[in-house]
Amino acid sequence: CSYSWANQTSGVTSLLYSVKAVSGTVGWSAGAGAVVRRTTDGGATWGNGNPNPGVITGDIYNIEALDANTAFVTTSPGATFIYKTTNGGANWVQVYTIAGGFINTIKMVSATNGFAFGDVLSGNWLMLKTTDGGSTWTSLATVAGTGDGRNNCLQILGNDIWFGTGQNTVLHSTNLGINWTVATVTGITGQITGLHFNTPLIGIVGGATMSKTTDGGATWTLLAALGTGTISGIKGTGNNFWYVRGTGIYRSTDLGVSWASVHTQTAAQNDINLAADPNGCMVGWSAGTTGTTSKMTGTPVAIND
């Protein structure tokens, strides 16, 4: 696939923390001040995904969506909350809250099953699951820990779950959250702010630096990365990885061995999210400071068996 990036107008100047690509036509983004943006035409126009404010309280740190109508957001102004919409954001309903918690990220693996992870609360990591499409949430597991998690650092592949933390560690389960191991990431100093696995064995995490694993997260090695600032979002497929760092977007076609700059925005980007396009390539968006939004499209240029 040949990939290209183009800036789009989100319609706001708010800080956008998170973006979700559902398809080449449907995308969501969210950020400070309970701002939610939604597109159903590939980003040609972005509309207000929270036109009736008052239900969602605080800044939105992560957004997840199943389609153009169903989406979830999380905020943590004192207590932590999960909100759900089933009508494209026209109305949001609070579906979970717990005092003193801080949910970092939400991932739905199907229309019914999903997970939400957050900071340590009362000595244990906040790990939640839903089996009814996000209408209710219950505890997934009791895993002791210290410190905090990070936005956009939850990955689920089959029975594997990875969760990156602010203590340069990665929590890993191979049985959908029943048992957990914790590995310190070699080469990362401080917080992990981006995480993605292309396979159950090969993954990359980033923060002030970048590291790669080829054994599912048990061991890590430092990678050379382009750009300056914090690597705050990573996505990938096959041999390809993309990450956002400062105003730049970077791509590797050899599993992180080498990188190239593929796009530069006018302001720092905080997240990147991709989806599979029917043409066989990937499609997606990045989002960041002052409402800046960019879209990636892919065009097939060769056929592989």
Side-chain angles (χ1 to χ4, degrees):
C1 297
S2 174
Y3 290 102
S4 61
W5 287 84
N7 292 347
Q8 293 185 335
T9 301
S10 69
V12 296
T13 58
S14 305
L15 171 62
L16 298 176
Y17 287 113
S18 182
V19 64
K20 171 65 179 186
V22 176
S23 66
T25 55
V26 177
W28 297 73
S29 62
V35 165
V36 181
R37 307 302 291 174
R38 183 183 73 125
T39 182
T40 57
D41 58 11
T45 58
W46 286 82
N48 190 350
N50 185 21
N52 297 300
V55 176
I56 300 175
T57 301
D59 298 337
I60 298 172
Y61 298 105
N62 191 247
I63 188 166
E64 171 68 320
L66 295 173
D67 48 44
N69 294 312
T70 307
F72 309 84
V73 298
T74 177
T75 70
S76 299
T80 193
F81 301 88
I82 298 176
Y83 302 93
K84 177 183 178 180
T85 181
T86 57
N87 56 10
N91 302 102
W92 291 87
V93 177
Q94 178 187 312
V95 292
Y96 181 82
T97 185
I98 187 170
F102 195 109
I103 295 174
N104 302 108
T105 182
I106 304 170
K107 290 288 184 184
M108 298 296 294
V109 295
S110 70
T112 55
N113 297 328
F115 301 86
F117 282 43
D119 293 359
V120 170
L121 181 64
S122 300
N124 296 306
W125 289 100
L126 182 57
M127 296 180 173
L128 306 173
K129 66 178 180 180
T130 180
T131 57
D132 59 6
S135 295
T136 61
W137 297 80
T138 59
S139 177
L140 169 67
T142 300
V143 181
T146 58
D148 52 5
R150 279 296 175 264
N151 306 344
N152 313 319
C153 286
L154 176 62
Q155 169 95 33
I156 304 165
L157 274 179
N159 291 328
D160 286 278
I161 304 177
W162 298 269
F163 180 53
T165 79
Q167 293 71 51
N168 75 296
T169 59
V170 172
L171 284 72
H172 181 208
S173 173
T174 59
N175 50 20
L176 282 178
I178 298 174
N179 304 106
W180 292 87
T181 58
V182 181
T184 299
V185 178
T186 304
I188 296 289
T189 55
Q191 304 173 3
I192 291 173
T193 51
L195 177 152
H196 189 82
F197 279 74
N198 281 8
T199 74
L201 295 178
I202 298 174
I204 291 177
V205 299
T209 52
M210 176 179 283
S211 291
K212 176 182 175 182
T213 181
T214 57
D215 57 13
T219 61
W220 298 83
T221 56
L222 181 67
L223 285 181
L226 301 178
T228 58
T230 300
I231 298 167
S232 55
I234 305 173
K235 285 294 178 286
T237 183
N239 291 329
N240 295 276
F241 279 98
W242 289 263
Y243 69 84
V244 291
R245 189 179 200 181
T247 59
I249 301 174
Y250 304 89
R251 179 192 179 195
S252 172
T253 59
D254 53 15
L255 294 174
V257 176
S258 61
W259 297 89
S261 174
V262 292
H263 188 66
T264 302
Q265 250 289 1
T266 57
Q269 299 300 279
N270 294 319
D271 192 22
I272 181 173
N273 197 264
L274 307 177
D277 191 89
N279 69 12
C281 300
M282 301 299 290
V283 64
W285 285 273
S286 73
T289 306
T290 62
T292 47
T293 302
S294 299
K295 184 182 182 183
M296 184 186 83
T297 55
T299 304
V301 294
I303 302 298
N304 292 325
D305 289 337

